[in-house]
Amino acid sequence: LAENTALSAGTSVTFNANVSGAKSLTVSGPLNVNCSQITTTGNSQTYNGVVNLDLNSKFTASQINFNSNITDGAVAGSRKNLTVDAAVLKSTIASGSASIILGELKVDTNTSIQTNNGTTIAFNVPLISGTGKTITLASNGSTFSFDGNVEINPDFITSTGTTFSASTGEMIFKA
């Protein structure tokens, strides 16, 4: 992709091959990820619609912003995995909540998970991994909720003012 690429489509955008090269990438509308890697050099990736993983994928950027849900659209037992290699994973939804529904969320670097003021990220992810890494839930009045059983392998830090909840299931911290 060329530098600072913006993509928009009437119904959806689909990546059927690995994507790389852009300093930043913005996708407006739903994105179907049918590739194993999306890499931008130096800047952010911004997704302004639902991100649907059709394959296990890795997103690499300085910051990854999402303004809707990240999901695999699959039923339990055939879930997809997302590896994040970014210092920041941020929900930019203006109000309400965004969901992350996957088989595994893995971090390849120390990552700060953030939201806009007063919004929620609802995780339905049975495994959050990243051995030797740290996930920080950065707060500004935000809520991070977990549904179902979840095993968390990286170090996990919450900052003052963060609401952290598990509505159902069991949380296991293994760091």
Side-chain angles (χ1 to χ4, degrees), residues 82-144:
L82 175 62
T83 300
V84 172
D85 188 356
V88 176
L89 176 63
K90 183 174 184 179
S91 168
T92 57
I93 196 162
S95 63
S97 68
S99 295
I100 298 178
I101 306 168
L102 300 166
E104 177 181 358
L105 176 63
K106 179 181 179 187
V107 296
D108 271 359
T109 189
N110 295 334
T111 302
S112 174
I113 300 178
Q114 304 174 3
T115 70
N116 280 335
N117 290 333
T119 60
T120 299
I121 298 178
F123 292 89
N124 187 334
V125 181
L127 178 60
I128 298 174
S129 66
T131 304
K133 306 302 178 199
T134 299
I135 292 179
T136 302
L137 298 181
S139 179
N140 45 14
S142 301
T143 300
F144 299 92

Side-chain angles (χ1 to χ4, degrees), residues 7-120:
L7 300 173
S8 181
T11 55
S12 67
V13 173
T14 300
F15 292 147
N16 286 318
N18 290 348
V19 176
S20 66
K23 284 191 175 181
S24 68
L25 171 65
T26 301
V27 178
S28 296
L31 172 64
N32 297 309
V33 179
N34 195 23
C35 63
S36 61
Q37 189 165 332
I38 300 173
T39 302
T40 53
T41 55
N43 289 323
S44 65
Q45 296 174 18
T46 301
Y47 302 103
N48 292 317
V50 172
V51 175
N52 184 58
L53 300 182
D54 294 326
L55 294 174
N56 295 333
S57 298
K58 180 177 183 176
F59 292 6
T60 303
S62 60
Q63 181 166 329
I64 299 169
N65 303 306
F66 60 101
N67 194 16
S68 189
N69 299 330
I70 299 175
T71 183
D72 58 14
V75 296
S78 62
R79 296 264 180 222
K80 303 299 184 264
N81 304 330
L82 175 62
T83 300
V84 172
D85 188 356
V88 176
L89 176 63
K90 183 174 184 179
S91 168
T92 57
I93 196 162
S95 63
S97 68
S99 295
I100 298 178
I101 306 168
L102 300 166
E104 177 181 358
L105 176 63
K106 179 181 179 187
V107 296
D108 271 359
T109 189
N110 295 334
T111 302
S112 174
I113 300 178
Q114 304 174 3
T115 70
N116 280 335
N117 290 333
T119 60
T120 299

Side-chain angles (χ1 to χ4, degrees), residues 144-148 150 164-171:
F144 299 92
S145 67
F146 296 84
D147 188 27
V150 61
F164 183 78
S165 67
S167 58
T168 63
E170 176 179 61
M171 297 189 77

